[in-house]
Amino acid sequence: MARKLAPALVTGNTCVVKTSEVTPLTCARITELWTESDDAALPPKGTYSVITGLGSTVGAALVSSPLVDIVSMTGSVATGKSIMKSAAEHMTKVSLELGGKAPAIVCADADLDLAVKGVLASRICFSGQVCNCCERVYVHESVKEAFLQKLVAAMEGTSQCPMTCSRRIHIGVKVGAPADDGVDCCGLVSSAQFDKVKGMLDRAVAAGAKVECGGTPLTNVGYGFAPTVLTNVKQSDEIVQEEVCF
């Protein structure tokens, strides 16, 4: 949100932020801090507003309004298509940051320990909620088994090399509540999202995928899901093509 707001505000625009209906608290807290502050360096009060509600109602009304000059959205491809259709009515400019399926490529001469660190840190950074987080890995056949063994060990907690992202990633991936010490990933945001991820996994396994580690719910972490590695997947499989969003 801040990344989108800052350039718009410093160039003299007013902004309306429509939060996700399932994650409104961060935007609300930033708004509280802004409202409470007397810092003269901040843009004048009233130049930035936050609204909440469903995308199908509140969001749709916002993006189809003739008063809006540009719509910037981070979210799914399906939502992006819907916004483009609504914005077209008034030729409103659109900037979209949509879901991805970022790959990593591990060559035959790669430093496998470094490759595992990079893949793991990318996948679990910010609980995997980044559009370019690594979701699939293409490994040269000659190092496939060695890389897989190291990656699974790192995921399960038997690796001897510490992982790093913007902070220390502990040996193994610890899933827990956001406020817990040493947590690398948190649970999914809702039961609906949990069901979506589990459904994708179940369909992948039914299509022939092999679960190398994880693949099970974590009942003590809300809608937690064990860090999972799948092999024996085909390029055309849903799990390879569609974003697994936490």
Side-chain angles (χ1 to χ4, degrees):
M1 183 195 73
R3 184 174 59 188
K4 294 176 182 289
L5 277 177
L9 291 171
V10 299
T11 51
N13 299 283
T14 57
C15 300
V16 178
V17 175
K18 154 63 176 75
T19 71
S20 165
E21 53 263 34
V22 293
T23 59
L25 298 183
T26 301
C27 286
R29 182 55 182 150
I30 291 175
T31 305
E32 287 179 354
L33 293 171
W34 189 330
T35 303
E36 296 165 358
S37 175
D38 294 323
D39 190 339
L42 289 172
K45 292 179 174 61
T47 55
Y48 155 57
S49 303
V50 173
I51 58 176
T52 61
L54 296 176
S56 58
T57 52
V58 176
L62 185 62
V63 301
S64 61
S65 171
L67 301 176
V68 176
D69 291 323
I70 185 170
V71 176
S72 178
M73 192 278 296
T74 299
S76 69
V77 173
T79 301
K81 290 180 178 179
S82 177
I83 287 175
M84 291 187 76
K85 289 179 182 178
S86 298
E89 177 68 23
H90 301 289
M91 298 298 291
T92 304
K93 293 187 288 293
V94 175
S95 173
L96 302 175
E97 181 184 350
L98 306 181
K101 195 71 180 176
I105 299 174
V106 181
C107 300
D109 60 349
D111 179 330
L112 297 187
D113 287 333
L114 183 61
V116 167
K117 289 180 182 181
V119 168
L120 185 61
S122 172
R123 187 64 194 110
I124 69 175
C125 194
F126 294 105
S127 293
Q129 299 177 94
V130 182
C131 294
N132 59 355
C133 274
C134 176
E135 287 205 25
R136 49 184 175 167
V137 186
Y138 297 89
V139 186
H140 192 278
E141 188 174 9
S142 65
V143 294
K144 171 190 169 185
E145 293 304 323
F147 174 84
L148 178 61
Q149 183 179 7
K150 289 176 179 290
L151 179 63
V152 169
M155 283 283 196
E156 291 184 325
T158 56
S159 171
Q160 297 304 307
C161 53
M163 308 298 163
T164 58
C165 185
S166 57
R167 55 188 170 81
R168 178 183 172 83
I169 301 299
H170 297 271
I171 295 175
V173 180
K174 181 179 178 182
V175 183
D180 290 348
D181 291 335
V183 167
D184 301 314
C185 280
C186 303
L188 283 79
V189 70
S190 66
S191 60
Q193 197 64 28
F194 177 89
D195 291 341
K196 177 182 176 181
V197 172
K198 187 175 185 304
M200 292 181 74
L201 175 65
D202 290 345
R203 289 189 292 276
V205 172
K210 179 182 178 182
V211 179
E212 300 288 349
C213 69
T216 56
L218 300 175
T219 55
N220 62 332
V221 189
Y223 300 114
F225 211 94
T228 301
V229 175
L230 299 178
T231 58
N232 198 38
V233 293
K234 299 184 292 293
Q235 184 66 18
S236 59
D237 286 350
E238 175 194 33
I239 201 74
V240 178
Q241 295 297 322
E242 299 296 327
E243 183 178 28
V244 182
C245 187
F246 290 84

Short mmCIF file of all heavy atoms in Angstrom, two decimals, residues 91-149:
data_model
loop_
_atom_site.label_atom_id
_atom_site.label_comp_id
_atom_site.label_asym_id
_atom_site.label_seq_id
_atom_site.Cartn_x
_atom_site.Cartn_y
_atom_site.Cartn_z
N MET A 91 -12.74 4.96 -19.69
CA MET A 91 -11.34 5.00 -20.16
C MET A 91 -10.38 5.34 -19.03
O MET A 91 -9.40 6.06 -19.20
CB MET A 91 -11.19 6.00 -21.31
CG MET A 91 -12.01 5.66 -22.54
SD MET A 91 -11.53 4.07 -23.28
CE MET A 91 -9.92 4.47 -23.93
N THR A 92 -10.65 4.81 -17.84
CA THR A 92 -9.80 5.05 -16.67
C THR A 92 -8.51 4.25 -16.82
O THR A 92 -8.53 3.07 -17.17
CB THR A 92 -10.52 4.62 -15.39
OG1 THR A 92 -11.76 5.31 -15.29
CG2 THR A 92 -9.68 4.92 -14.15
N LYS A 93 -7.39 4.92 -16.55
CA LYS A 93 -6.10 4.22 -16.63
C LYS A 93 -6.02 3.16 -15.53
O LYS A 93 -6.55 3.33 -14.44
CB LYS A 93 -4.95 5.22 -16.49
CG LYS A 93 -4.83 6.19 -17.64
CD LYS A 93 -3.59 7.04 -17.54
CE LYS A 93 -3.73 8.08 -16.43
NZ LYS A 93 -4.76 9.08 -16.74
N VAL A 94 -5.34 2.06 -15.84
CA VAL A 94 -5.25 0.92 -14.92
C VAL A 94 -3.79 0.48 -14.80
O VAL A 94 -3.08 0.38 -15.80
CB VAL A 94 -6.11 -0.26 -15.42
CG1 VAL A 94 -5.92 -1.48 -14.52
CG2 VAL A 94 -7.58 0.12 -15.45
N SER A 95 -3.36 0.22 -13.56
CA SER A 95 -2.04 -0.35 -13.29
C SER A 95 -2.24 -1.58 -12.41
O SER A 95 -2.76 -1.47 -11.29
CB SER A 95 -1.16 0.67 -12.57
OG SER A 95 0.06 0.08 -12.16
N LEU A 96 -1.87 -2.74 -12.93
CA LEU A 96 -2.18 -3.99 -12.25
C LEU A 96 -0.92 -4.78 -11.92
O LEU A 96 -0.04 -4.95 -12.75
CB LEU A 96 -3.09 -4.86 -13.14
CG LEU A 96 -4.42 -4.24 -13.56
CD1 LEU A 96 -5.14 -5.16 -14.54
CD2 LEU A 96 -5.29 -3.93 -12.35
N GLU A 97 -0.85 -5.24 -10.68
CA GLU A 97 0.21 -6.16 -10.25
C GLU A 97 -0.47 -7.47 -9.88
O GLU A 97 -1.05 -7.60 -8.80
CB GLU A 97 0.95 -5.58 -9.04
CG GLU A 97 2.08 -6.47 -8.55
CD GLU A 97 2.74 -5.94 -7.29
OE1 GLU A 97 2.47 -4.80 -6.90
OE2 GLU A 97 3.55 -6.69 -6.70
N LEU A 98 -0.44 -8.41 -10.80
CA LEU A 98 -1.25 -9.62 -10.66
C LEU A 98 -0.42 -10.81 -10.21
O LEU A 98 0.79 -10.74 -10.09
CB LEU A 98 -1.96 -9.91 -11.99
CG LEU A 98 -2.78 -8.75 -12.54
CD1 LEU A 98 -3.45 -9.13 -13.84
CD2 LEU A 98 -3.81 -8.26 -11.53
N GLY A 99 -1.10 -11.90 -9.96
CA GLY A 99 -0.45 -13.09 -9.44
C GLY A 99 0.59 -13.64 -10.40
O GLY A 99 0.56 -13.41 -11.61
N GLY A 100 1.55 -14.37 -9.85
CA GLY A 100 2.61 -14.94 -10.65
C GLY A 100 2.88 -16.39 -10.29
O GLY A 100 2.27 -16.95 -9.38
N LYS A 101 3.76 -17.01 -11.02
CA LYS A 101 4.17 -18.39 -10.76
C LYS A 101 5.67 -18.44 -10.98
O LYS A 101 6.18 -19.15 -11.86
CB LYS A 101 3.43 -19.34 -11.70
CG LYS A 101 3.52 -20.80 -11.26
CD LYS A 101 2.71 -21.07 -10.01
CE LYS A 101 2.81 -22.53 -9.60
NZ LYS A 101 2.09 -22.78 -8.33
N ALA A 102 6.40 -17.66 -10.18
CA ALA A 102 7.82 -17.43 -10.43
C ALA A 102 8.63 -18.73 -10.35
O ALA A 102 8.53 -19.48 -9.38
CB ALA A 102 8.36 -16.42 -9.43
N PRO A 103 9.46 -18.99 -11.37
CA PRO A 103 10.30 -20.18 -11.37
C PRO A 103 11.72 -19.89 -10.93
O PRO A 103 12.20 -18.77 -11.03
CB PRO A 103 10.28 -20.60 -12.84
CG PRO A 103 10.23 -19.29 -13.57
CD PRO A 103 9.45 -18.33 -12.68
N ALA A 104 12.39 -20.91 -10.44
CA ALA A 104 13.83 -20.87 -10.24
C ALA A 104 14.44 -21.96 -11.12
O ALA A 104 13.82 -23.01 -11.32
CB ALA A 104 14.18 -21.12 -8.77
N ILE A 105 15.63 -21.70 -11.65
CA ILE A 105 16.32 -22.67 -12.50
C ILE A 105 17.64 -23.03 -11.85
O ILE A 105 18.44 -22.15 -11.52
CB ILE A 105 16.56 -22.10 -13.91
CG1 ILE A 105 15.22 -21.77 -14.57
CG2 ILE A 105 17.36 -23.07 -14.76
CD1 ILE A 105 15.36 -21.07 -15.91
N VAL A 106 17.86 -24.31 -11.62
CA VAL A 106 19.09 -24.80 -10.99
C VAL A 106 19.88 -25.56 -12.05
O VAL A 106 19.46 -26.62 -12.52
CB VAL A 106 18.78 -25.71 -9.79
CG1 VAL A 106 20.08 -26.18 -9.14
CG2 VAL A 106 17.92 -24.98 -8.77
N CYS A 107 21.01 -24.99 -12.45
CA CYS A 107 21.84 -25.58 -13.50
C CYS A 107 22.73 -26.69 -12.94
O CYS A 107 22.88 -26.84 -11.72
CB CYS A 107 22.68 -24.51 -14.17
SG CYS A 107 21.70 -23.21 -14.96
N ALA A 108 23.35 -27.42 -13.84
CA ALA A 108 24.18 -28.57 -13.44
C ALA A 108 25.37 -28.16 -12.59
O ALA A 108 25.82 -28.92 -11.73
CB ALA A 108 24.65 -29.32 -14.68
N ASP A 109 25.91 -26.95 -12.84
CA ASP A 109 27.10 -26.51 -12.10
C ASP A 109 26.76 -25.59 -10.93
O ASP A 109 27.62 -24.91 -10.40
CB ASP A 109 28.06 -25.80 -13.05
CG ASP A 109 27.43 -24.58 -13.71
OD1 ASP A 109 26.19 -24.41 -13.59
OD2 ASP A 109 28.16 -23.80 -14.35
N ALA A 110 25.50 -25.57 -10.51
CA ALA A 110 25.07 -24.67 -9.44
C ALA A 110 25.64 -25.08 -8.09
O ALA A 110 25.89 -26.26 -7.83
CB ALA A 110 23.55 -24.64 -9.36
N ASP A 111 25.85 -24.09 -7.23
CA ASP A 111 26.14 -24.33 -5.81
C ASP A 111 24.82 -24.72 -5.17
O ASP A 111 23.94 -23.89 -4.95
CB ASP A 111 26.70 -23.05 -5.19
CG ASP A 111 27.03 -23.21 -3.71
OD1 ASP A 111 26.36 -24.01 -3.01
OD2 ASP A 111 27.93 -22.50 -3.22
N LEU A 112 24.63 -26.00 -4.89
CA LEU A 112 23.32 -26.50 -4.46
C LEU A 112 22.91 -25.95 -3.10
O LEU A 112 21.72 -25.69 -2.87
CB LEU A 112 23.32 -28.03 -4.45
CG LEU A 112 23.53 -28.71 -5.80
CD1 LEU A 112 23.34 -30.21 -5.69
CD2 LEU A 112 22.61 -28.12 -6.87
N ASP A 113 23.85 -25.78 -2.19
CA ASP A 113 23.50 -25.20 -0.89
C ASP A 113 22.97 -23.78 -1.06
O ASP A 113 21.98 -23.39 -0.44
CB ASP A 113 24.71 -25.21 0.05
CG ASP A 113 25.05 -26.60 0.56
OD1 ASP A 113 24.12 -27.44 0.63
OD2 ASP A 113 26.22 -26.84 0.87
N LEU A 114 23.65 -23.01 -1.92
CA LEU A 114 23.21 -21.65 -2.18
C LEU A 114 21.86 -21.64 -2.89
O LEU A 114 20.99 -20.81 -2.59
CB LEU A 114 24.25 -20.92 -3.02
CG LEU A 114 23.98 -19.44 -3.32
CD1 LEU A 114 23.90 -18.64 -2.03
CD2 LEU A 114 25.06 -18.88 -4.25
N ALA A 115 21.66 -22.57 -3.81
CA ALA A 115 20.40 -22.66 -4.53
C ALA A 115 19.25 -22.97 -3.58
O ALA A 115 18.17 -22.37 -3.67
CB ALA A 115 20.49 -23.72 -5.63
N VAL A 116 19.47 -23.88 -2.65
CA VAL A 116 18.44 -24.22 -1.67
C VAL A 116 18.12 -23.03 -0.79
O VAL A 116 16.95 -22.74 -0.52
CB VAL A 116 18.88 -25.43 -0.81
CG1 VAL A 116 17.97 -25.60 0.40
CG2 VAL A 116 18.88 -26.70 -1.65
N LYS A 117 19.15 -22.31 -0.35
CA LYS A 117 18.92 -21.12 0.46
C LYS A 117 18.06 -20.11 -0.29
O LYS A 117 17.12 -19.53 0.26
CB LYS A 117 20.25 -20.48 0.85
CG LYS A 117 21.06 -21.26 1.86
CD LYS A 117 22.36 -20.51 2.17
CE LYS A 117 23.23 -21.30 3.15
NZ LYS A 117 24.49 -20.56 3.47
N GLY A 118 18.40 -19.89 -1.56
CA GLY A 118 17.66 -18.92 -2.35
C GLY A 118 16.22 -19.31 -2.57
O GLY A 118 15.30 -18.50 -2.41
N VAL A 119 15.99 -20.57 -2.92
CA VAL A 119 14.63 -21.06 -3.17
C VAL A 119 13.80 -21.00 -1.89
O VAL A 119 12.66 -20.52 -1.89
CB VAL A 119 14.66 -22.49 -3.73
CG1 VAL A 119 13.27 -23.12 -3.71
CG2 VAL A 119 15.22 -22.48 -5.15
N LEU A 120 14.35 -21.47 -0.80
CA LEU A 120 13.61 -21.50 0.46
C LEU A 120 13.30 -20.09 0.95
O LEU A 120 12.17 -19.79 1.33
CB LEU A 120 14.40 -22.26 1.52
CG LEU A 120 13.68 -22.48 2.86
CD1 LEU A 120 12.40 -23.29 2.66
CD2 LEU A 120 14.59 -23.16 3.85
N ALA A 121 14.31 -19.22 0.92
CA ALA A 121 14.09 -17.85 1.39
C ALA A 121 13.05 -17.14 0.54
O ALA A 121 12.18 -16.43 1.05
CB ALA A 121 15.40 -17.07 1.38
N SER A 122 13.09 -17.36 -0.78
CA SER A 122 12.12 -16.72 -1.66
C SER A 122 10.71 -17.24 -1.41
O SER A 122 9.76 -16.47 -1.36
CB SER A 122 12.50 -16.99 -3.12
OG SER A 122 11.49 -16.55 -4.00
N ARG A 123 10.60 -18.54 -1.19
CA ARG A 123 9.25 -19.11 -1.07
C ARG A 123 8.57 -18.73 0.23
O ARG A 123 7.34 -18.55 0.28
CB ARG A 123 9.31 -20.65 -1.18
CG ARG A 123 7.92 -21.28 -1.23
CD ARG A 123 7.20 -20.84 -2.48
NE ARG A 123 5.77 -21.13 -2.45
CZ ARG A 123 4.83 -20.20 -2.36
NH1 ARG A 123 5.14 -18.93 -2.24
NH2 ARG A 123 3.56 -20.52 -2.39
N ILE A 124 9.32 -18.63 1.31
CA ILE A 124 8.66 -18.40 2.60
C ILE A 124 8.75 -16.95 3.08
O ILE A 124 8.14 -16.60 4.09
CB ILE A 124 9.20 -19.34 3.69
CG1 ILE A 124 10.64 -18.98 4.05
CG2 ILE A 124 9.09 -20.79 3.26
CD1 ILE A 124 11.19 -19.79 5.21
N CYS A 125 9.49 -16.10 2.35
CA CYS A 125 9.59 -14.70 2.76
C CYS A 125 8.20 -14.06 2.77
O CYS A 125 7.42 -14.21 1.83
CB CYS A 125 10.50 -13.97 1.78
SG CYS A 125 11.04 -12.36 2.35
N PHE A 126 7.87 -13.38 3.87
CA PHE A 126 6.54 -12.80 4.06
C PHE A 126 5.44 -13.86 3.88
O PHE A 126 4.39 -13.61 3.30
CB PHE A 126 6.31 -11.64 3.10
CG PHE A 126 7.20 -10.46 3.37
CD1 PHE A 126 8.28 -10.19 2.54
CD2 PHE A 126 6.99 -9.64 4.46
CE1 PHE A 126 9.13 -9.12 2.79
CE2 PHE A 126 7.83 -8.56 4.71
CZ PHE A 126 8.90 -8.30 3.88
N SER A 127 5.72 -15.06 4.39
CA SER A 127 4.78 -16.19 4.33
C SER A 127 4.39 -16.53 2.89
O SER A 127 3.29 -17.05 2.65
CB SER A 127 3.52 -15.89 5.16
OG SER A 127 3.84 -15.83 6.54
N GLY A 128 5.27 -16.23 1.94
CA GLY A 128 4.98 -16.58 0.56
C GLY A 128 4.02 -15.64 -0.13
O GLY A 128 3.58 -15.91 -1.25
N GLN A 129 3.69 -14.52 0.52
CA GLN A 129 2.69 -13.61 -0.03
C GLN A 129 3.33 -12.50 -0.88
O GLN A 129 3.05 -11.33 -0.69
CB GLN A 129 1.87 -13.01 1.11
CG GLN A 129 1.13 -14.06 1.92
CD GLN A 129 0.39 -13.46 3.09
OE1 GLN A 129 -0.78 -13.15 3.00
NE2 GLN A 129 1.09 -13.29 4.20
N VAL A 130 4.19 -12.89 -1.77
CA VAL A 130 4.83 -11.96 -2.68
C VAL A 130 4.67 -12.52 -4.09
O VAL A 130 4.88 -13.72 -4.32
CB VAL A 130 6.33 -11.78 -2.35
CG1 VAL A 130 6.97 -10.76 -3.29
CG2 VAL A 130 6.50 -11.35 -0.90
N CYS A 131 4.29 -11.65 -5.03
CA CYS A 131 3.97 -12.13 -6.38
C CYS A 131 5.12 -12.88 -7.05
O CYS A 131 4.90 -13.75 -7.87
CB CYS A 131 3.54 -10.96 -7.26
SG CYS A 131 1.99 -10.19 -6.73
N ASN A 132 6.37 -12.50 -6.71
CA ASN A 132 7.50 -13.16 -7.36
C ASN A 132 8.19 -14.16 -6.44
O ASN A 132 9.35 -14.51 -6.66
CB ASN A 132 8.51 -12.13 -7.89
CG ASN A 132 9.06 -11.25 -6.79
OD1 ASN A 132 8.63 -11.32 -5.65
ND2 ASN A 132 10.01 -10.38 -7.14
N CYS A 133 7.52 -14.62 -5.40
CA CYS A 133 8.06 -15.71 -4.59
C CYS A 133 8.20 -16.97 -5.45
O CYS A 133 7.31 -17.29 -6.25
CB CYS A 133 7.13 -16.02 -3.41
SG CYS A 133 7.44 -15.00 -1.96
N CYS A 134 9.28 -17.69 -5.25
CA CYS A 134 9.52 -18.91 -6.03
C CYS A 134 8.46 -19.96 -5.72
O CYS A 134 8.26 -20.32 -4.57
CB CYS A 134 10.91 -19.45 -5.72
SG CYS A 134 11.27 -21.00 -6.54
N GLU A 135 7.79 -20.45 -6.75
CA GLU A 135 6.76 -21.48 -6.56
C GLU A 135 7.07 -22.77 -7.29
O GLU A 135 6.49 -23.80 -6.99
CB GLU A 135 5.40 -20.95 -7.03
CG GLU A 135 4.78 -19.92 -6.11
CD GLU A 135 3.27 -19.88 -6.23
OE1 GLU A 135 2.66 -20.89 -6.63
OE2 GLU A 135 2.70 -18.83 -5.92
N ARG A 136 7.96 -22.72 -8.26
CA ARG A 136 8.31 -23.94 -8.99
C ARG A 136 9.80 -23.89 -9.30
O ARG A 136 10.38 -22.81 -9.49
CB ARG A 136 7.49 -24.07 -10.27
CG ARG A 136 7.46 -22.82 -11.13
CD ARG A 136 6.56 -22.98 -12.33
NE ARG A 136 6.45 -21.72 -13.07
CZ ARG A 136 5.95 -21.61 -14.29
NH1 ARG A 136 5.52 -22.68 -14.93
NH2 ARG A 136 5.88 -20.43 -14.89
N VAL A 137 10.42 -25.06 -9.34
CA VAL A 137 11.86 -25.13 -9.53
C VAL A 137 12.16 -26.12 -10.65
O VAL A 137 11.66 -27.26 -10.64
CB VAL A 137 12.58 -25.59 -8.24
CG1 VAL A 137 14.09 -25.52 -8.43
CG2 VAL A 137 12.16 -24.74 -7.05
N TYR A 138 12.97 -25.67 -11.61
CA TYR A 138 13.40 -26.53 -12.71
C TYR A 138 14.87 -26.86 -12.47
O TYR A 138 15.72 -25.95 -12.46
CB TYR A 138 13.21 -25.82 -14.05
CG TYR A 138 11.76 -25.51 -14.35
CD1 TYR A 138 11.18 -24.32 -13.92
CD2 TYR A 138 10.97 -26.42 -15.04
CE1 TYR A 138 9.84 -24.05 -14.19
CE2 TYR A 138 9.64 -26.17 -15.31
CZ TYR A 138 9.08 -24.97 -14.88
OH TYR A 138 7.76 -24.70 -15.13
N VAL A 139 15.17 -28.14 -12.27
CA VAL A 139 16.50 -28.57 -11.86
C VAL A 139 17.10 -29.48 -12.93
O VAL A 139 16.43 -30.39 -13.44
CB VAL A 139 16.43 -29.33 -10.51
CG1 VAL A 139 17.82 -29.66 -10.01
CG2 VAL A 139 15.66 -28.51 -9.47
N HIS A 140 18.38 -29.23 -13.24
CA HIS A 140 19.06 -30.09 -14.21
C HIS A 140 19.05 -31.52 -13.69
O HIS A 140 19.27 -31.78 -12.51
CB HIS A 140 20.50 -29.61 -14.42
CG HIS A 140 21.16 -30.25 -15.61
ND1 HIS A 140 21.73 -31.51 -15.56
CD2 HIS A 140 21.33 -29.79 -16.88
CE1 HIS A 140 22.23 -31.81 -16.75
NE2 HIS A 140 22.01 -30.79 -17.56
N GLU A 141 18.78 -32.45 -14.61
CA GLU A 141 18.62 -33.86 -14.22
C GLU A 141 19.81 -34.40 -13.45
O GLU A 141 19.66 -35.21 -12.53
CB GLU A 141 18.37 -34.70 -15.47
CG GLU A 141 18.00 -36.14 -15.17
CD GLU A 141 17.62 -36.91 -16.43
OE1 GLU A 141 17.82 -36.37 -17.53
OE2 GLU A 141 17.13 -38.03 -16.29
N SER A 142 21.02 -33.93 -13.78
CA SER A 142 22.22 -34.48 -13.16
C SER A 142 22.33 -34.13 -11.67
O SER A 142 23.07 -34.79 -10.93
CB SER A 142 23.47 -33.99 -13.90
OG SER A 142 23.61 -32.59 -13.77
N VAL A 143 21.64 -33.09 -11.23
CA VAL A 143 21.72 -32.68 -9.81
C VAL A 143 20.36 -32.73 -9.14
O VAL A 143 20.20 -32.27 -8.00
CB VAL A 143 22.33 -31.27 -9.67
CG1 VAL A 143 23.78 -31.27 -10.12
CG2 VAL A 143 21.52 -30.23 -10.43
N LYS A 144 19.40 -33.30 -9.83
CA LYS A 144 18.03 -33.30 -9.30
C LYS A 144 17.93 -33.95 -7.93
O LYS A 144 17.38 -33.37 -6.98
CB LYS A 144 17.11 -34.02 -10.29
CG LYS A 144 15.71 -34.27 -9.74
CD LYS A 144 14.91 -35.20 -10.64
CE LYS A 144 13.63 -35.64 -9.96
NZ LYS A 144 12.90 -36.65 -10.76
N GLU A 145 18.45 -35.15 -7.78
CA GLU A 145 18.29 -35.88 -6.52
C GLU A 145 19.03 -35.20 -5.38
O GLU A 145 18.52 -35.11 -4.25
CB GLU A 145 18.77 -37.34 -6.68
CG GLU A 145 17.90 -38.17 -7.62
CD GLU A 145 16.44 -38.19 -7.19
OE1 GLU A 145 16.19 -38.21 -5.97
OE2 GLU A 145 15.56 -38.18 -8.08
N ALA A 146 20.23 -34.70 -5.65
CA ALA A 146 21.01 -34.03 -4.60
C ALA A 146 20.32 -32.74 -4.16
O ALA A 146 20.23 -32.44 -2.96
CB ALA A 146 22.41 -33.72 -5.12
N PHE A 147 19.81 -31.98 -5.13
CA PHE A 147 19.10 -30.74 -4.79
C PHE A 147 17.83 -31.05 -4.00
O PHE A 147 17.54 -30.38 -2.99
CB PHE A 147 18.75 -29.97 -6.06
CG PHE A 147 17.90 -28.75 -5.80
CD1 PHE A 147 18.47 -27.55 -5.42
CD2 PHE A 147 16.52 -28.81 -5.92
CE1 PHE A 147 17.70 -26.43 -5.15
CE2 PHE A 147 15.73 -27.70 -5.67
CZ PHE A 147 16.32 -26.51 -5.29
N LEU A 148 17.08 -32.03 -4.44
CA LEU A 148 15.83 -32.38 -3.77
C LEU A 148 16.09 -32.80 -2.33
O LEU A 148 15.36 -32.40 -1.41
CB LEU A 148 15.12 -33.50 -4.54
CG LEU A 148 13.81 -34.00 -3.94
CD1 LEU A 148 12.78 -32.89 -3.85
CD2 LEU A 148 13.27 -35.18 -4.77
N GLN A 149 17.10 -33.60 -2.12
CA GLN A 149 17.42 -34.05 -0.77
C GLN A 149 17.74 -32.85 0.14
O GLN A 149 17.27 -32.78 1.28
CB GLN A 149 18.61 -35.01 -0.81
CG GLN A 149 18.98 -35.58 0.55
CD GLN A 149 20.15 -36.54 0.46
OE1 GLN A 149 20.78 -36.69 -0.59
NE2 GLN A 149 20.46 -37.22 1.55
#
